[in-house]
Amino acid sequence: MVHPLGRTSMGRQRIEIRRIDNKERRQVTFTKRRGGLFKKASELALLTGASVAVVVFSPAKHVYAFGHPSVDAVLRSYASVPGEAAAVAPVPVHGGSGGEDVDLLGLRLAADDTGAQVAAEHARMRDVAARIVQAKAGRRFWWEADVDALGEAELLEFVTALKKLRDNVGRHANTLLAPQPPPLPLQQKQRRRR
Amino acid sequence: MVHPLGRTSMGRQRIEIRRIDNKERRQVTFTKRRGGLFKKASELALLTGASVAVVVFSPAKHVYAFGHPSVDAVLRSYASVPGEAAAVAPVPVHGGSGGEDVDLLGLRLAADDTGAQVAAEHARMRDVAARIVQAKAGRRFWWEADVDALGEAELLEFVTALKKLRDNVGRHANTLLAPQPPPLPLQQKQRRRR
DNA sequence: AAGGCTATATATAAAGA
DNA sequence: TTCTTTATATATAGCCT
């Protein structure tokens, strides 16, 4: 309804882009802006045909994600990008010594899209052994290999590599997310229109 | 300068949210909106303390990413989220039979953050063997295990699991990104202010 | 914690430099 | 192509319900 006199609202106010102190208002802003972000992501994909993936952890550590054509498809592609793959895998150690207590080793399926030029790619990865060696020496994509083609020996090498990886991960308590398996809200948003 | 008479611009026009046909316009829109999307993501993170990761592949398949505190940190967390991890790993096959030709097996380092309640977590994953079995039977996180603790036997089991994974991936030529190692533009955007 | 509402801050489609 | 300039479409902060 209409208000006979005077402004009925102060309208949108300008705010500083820095942490909102008030907890509830921070939550409200989170919800509103998360929606807006997903909408923008969706529009970008639709308008330009771009692939987009957005992953958000709320202040309460709940997960929200949007992706076109899908979050996983985009992240898989991302993982297969040279520079990025390297960035994700080797995780530099800043602590030091080694792994005394048991830590998880998280592995994640990444690339291998059966695209048109996969055939061409095949050539350069024909020799798995060479690949592993090359990989151990260098940095990226060493973990790519045709497991079937590996013999017991290479297989061991492979596992060794995995262990090494585990060690490298070691301790970097900088991350934000604390593992919370049981009560997981999780909500995959996959589409939005107007 | 000013235009003596009449509108000097038609101003922003309303557009339908569907693929822009004109190639150059599409490119311009992509650039503008990508910037906007990253800015929004940045503000969301700053205002609410949320963790955000945005990965975008341009129509030309160039990669652009934004993340707070970092793309990798967020994606690692994402990978460790039960529901999501499962979604990424098992990739349902729609084709059918098996894997006759060689495909890559992409593995990706994922979780294990040394958070505060890791200790509590430790309990439930004390017995690695049990974990593997349990995993093989069920669906998610079967690939999590302390490699060091595995004996030859379990080790083989582990690899078998990996092969299975490879098979599951099999054929799903739906992805968008065609592998293009050499000429990769890549640009990590990590910050934005105004 | 979710939805409206209003008034305003922002994002951007077009066109020009 | 990439950066301005307009003029207008959208996103949202503060308030209410």
Side-chain angles (χ1 to χ4, degrees):
Chain A
M1 72 132 83
V2 281
H3 279 61
L5 357 133
R7 297 273 78 71
T8 168
S9 158
M10 9 184 337
R12 174 177 181 174
Q13 301 295 294
R14 165 175 297 193
I15 62 171
E16 286 288 310
I17 301 300
R18 56 189 170 70
R19 183 186 180 75
I20 297 173
D21 295 309
N22 183 295
K23 186 177 179 180
E24 45 194 52
R25 159 178 274 285
R26 198 194 313 144
Q27 173 58 47
V28 173
T29 292
F30 173 78
T31 301
K32 285 186 177 179
R33 279 175 174 265
R34 167 167 54 75
L37 184 66
F38 284 165
K39 183 176 182 181
K40 289 289 190 185
S42 168
E43 297 184 340
L44 177 62
L46 247 23
L47 288 169
T48 72
S51 297
V52 186
V54 180
V55 175
V56 178
F57 282 90
S58 72
K61 294 294 174 291
H62 290 186
V63 208
Y64 299 87
F66 166 83
H68 178 86
S70 82
V71 177
D72 293 342
V74 179
L75 294 190
R76 271 199 291 277
S77 297
Y78 180 72
S80 71
V81 173
E84 308 319 314
V88 181
V91 183
V93 206
H94 62 294
S97 57
E100 47 290 0
D101 39 335
V102 185
D103 276 316
L104 294 192
L105 172 60
L107 296 181
R108 185 152 175 278
L109 166 67
D112 130 292
D113 35 300
T114 327
Q117 47 268 85
V118 170
E121 287 291 295
H122 264 190
R124 87 179 65 177
M125 54 182 68
R126 201 72 64 71
D127 190 334
V128 183
R131 220 161 191 303
I132 291 186
V133 175
Q134 180 182 50
K136 275 179 49 187
R139 47 272 191 11
R140 91 165 187 260
F141 276 4
W142 59 264
W143 31 264
E144 286 186 351
D146 177 46
V147 185
D148 274 326
L150 295 178
E152 289 290 292
E154 295 91 326
L155 200 148
L156 260 299
E157 287 256 290
F158 189 67
V159 177
T160 299
L162 287 179
K163 290 201 288 188
K164 187 150 193 159
L165 209 186
R166 198 277 315 281
D167 288 338
N168 284 332
V169 184
R171 198 152 322 295
H172 63 297
N174 47 320
T175 344
L176 41 138
L177 170 92
Q180 47 169 202
L184 223 155
L186 234 205
Q187 337 195 350
Q188 275 276 32
K189 322 263 284 212
Q190 283 295 344
R191 209 82 287 262
R192 267 176 131 271
R193 196 80 288 102
R194 68 208 216 70
Chain B
M1 68 132 83
V2 281
H3 277 61
L5 357 134
R7 298 271 78 71
T8 169
S9 160
M10 358 183 347
R12 175 177 179 172
Q13 300 295 294
R14 164 174 298 192
I15 62 171
E16 287 286 311
I17 301 300
R18 56 188 170 69
R19 183 185 180 76
I20 296 172
D21 294 310
N22 184 295
K23 187 177 179 180
E24 43 195 55
R25 292 168 129 295
R26 199 192 314 142
Q27 173 57 48
V28 174
T29 292
F30 172 78
T31 301
K32 286 186 176 178
R33 281 175 174 264
R34 166 167 56 75
L37 184 66
F38 284 165
K39 183 176 181 181
K40 289 289 189 185
S42 168
E43 297 185 340
L44 177 62
L46 248 22
L47 288 170
T48 72
S51 297
V52 185
V54 181
V55 175
V56 178
F57 281 90
S58 73
K61 294 294 174 292
H62 291 186
V63 208
Y64 298 87
F66 166 83
H68 178 87
S70 82
V71 177
D72 293 342
V74 178
L75 294 191
R76 271 199 292 278
S77 297
Y78 180 72
S80 71
V81 173
E84 307 318 314
V88 181
V91 183
V93 207
H94 63 293
S97 57
E100 49 290 0
D101 40 333
V102 186
D103 275 316
L104 295 190
L105 172 61
L107 296 181
R108 184 152 176 278
L109 168 66
D112 129 293
D113 36 297
T114 327
Q117 47 267 87
V118 171
E121 287 291 294
H122 264 190
R124 88 179 63 177
M125 55 183 67
R126 199 72 64 71
D127 190 334
V128 182
R131 217 160 194 300
I132 291 187
V133 175
Q134 179 182 51
K136 274 180 50 188
R139 45 267 193 9
R140 90 165 187 261
F141 275 4
W142 60 262
W143 32 263
E144 286 185 351
D146 177 44
V147 185
D148 274 327
L150 295 179
E152 289 290 291
E154 295 92 325
L155 200 150
L156 260 298
E157 287 255 290
F158 189 67
V159 177
T160 299
L162 286 179
K163 290 202 288 189
K164 188 151 191 158
L165 210 188
R166 199 275 315 282
D167 288 337
N168 285 332
V169 185
R171 198 152 323 293
H172 63 295
N174 48 320
T175 344
L176 42 138
L177 171 93
Q180 47 170 201
L184 224 155
L186 233 206
Q187 337 195 351
Q188 275 276 33
K189 323 262 291 211
Q190 286 293 345
R191 209 82 288 262
R192 272 181 124 268
R193 193 79 294 97
R194 69 202 211 71

